[in-house]
Amino acid sequence: MENLVREKRIALGMTQDELSALLDVSRQTIISLEKGRYNPSITLAFKLSKLFQCAIEEIFIYEEE
Amino acid sequence: MENLVREKRIALGMTQDELSALLDVSRQTIISLEKGRYNPSITLAFKLSKLFQCAIEEIFIYEEE
DNA sequence: ACTTTACGTAAAGTATACTTTACTTGCAAA
DNA sequence: TTTGCAAGTAAAGTATACTTTACGTAAAGT
């Protein structure tokens, strides 16, 4: 699943470290997310949605199968 | 996290078994989801979103911490 | 040169989403 | 009264999200 985490983070002028702290996850989680190594849990998606002030669907692009 | 899976499923006149088949997950997954035993992965949330034709935010209600 | 900052990798461990199997219960219809 | 369907429980196993630690690299500042 594609995502715009990196773009949105940079748009806010934040480092991966700062973002991870705000979301209460590890920096590794942010790195892996941005690199597309795995999909987030729905709770992490909601946290990002709230922080970035946009819908989950605007951050994560779902293509079926 | 609260969710409206049961309500939306029944509104479509479907059984748990039929829903699980359409989503390609086990019936146990649907039962546990409806019972609120765990949160779905973001991919399952997207599948439900598509099937129910509404935003993820309309199915899953996120309350922080 | 060296330090700091931001980003990256690798690997092993933990938590949790999801599966599989098997058995139970309530209800409605034959 | 028994058969079948929809929903439920329980437990053990697998897949994956996420953590932790430790180390590597390139760029910018002093």
Side-chain angles (χ1 to χ4, degrees):
Chain A
M1 178 171 335
E2 296 275 309
N3 75 72
L4 303 179
V5 173
R6 188 181 204 97
E7 290 81 345
K8 303 247 179 205
R9 169 178 65 82
I10 289 173
L12 291 184
M14 300 172 55
T15 70
Q16 294 176 333
D17 207 38
E18 290 167 340
L19 180 58
S20 69
L22 281 175
L23 298 174
D24 202 39
V25 295
S26 71
R27 187 170 64 94
Q28 267 311 315
T29 294
I30 301 302
I31 290 174
S32 297
L33 248 193
E34 291 189 357
K35 288 278 164 183
R37 288 206 233 280
Y38 51 66
N39 299 322
S41 65
I42 199 176
T43 49
L44 181 49
F46 266 113
K47 284 181 183 178
L48 282 160
S49 167
K50 194 189 173 201
L51 185 63
F52 290 156
Q53 300 200 78
C54 58
I56 288 176
E57 290 84 350
E58 294 176 73
I59 308 174
F60 297 94
I61 316 301
Y62 175 65
E63 315 107 29
E64 37 244 285
E65 320 318 280
Chain B
M1 178 171 334
E2 295 274 311
N3 74 71
L4 302 178
V5 173
R6 187 181 205 98
E7 289 81 346
K8 302 245 180 209
R9 170 178 64 81
I10 289 173
L12 291 184
M14 301 173 53
T15 69
Q16 292 176 334
D17 207 38
E18 290 167 342
L19 180 58
S20 70
L22 282 175
L23 298 173
D24 202 39
V25 295
S26 70
R27 188 171 62 92
Q28 266 312 316
T29 295
I30 301 303
I31 290 174
S32 297
L33 247 193
E34 291 189 356
K35 288 278 163 183
R37 290 205 232 279
Y38 51 67
N39 299 323
S41 65
I42 199 175
T43 50
L44 181 48
F46 265 114
K47 284 182 183 178
L48 283 160
S49 168
K50 195 188 174 203
L51 185 63
F52 290 156
Q53 300 199 79
C54 59
I56 289 176
E57 290 84 350
E58 293 175 73
I59 307 174
F60 298 94
I61 316 301
Y62 175 65
E63 314 107 28
E64 37 244 287
E65 318 322 282

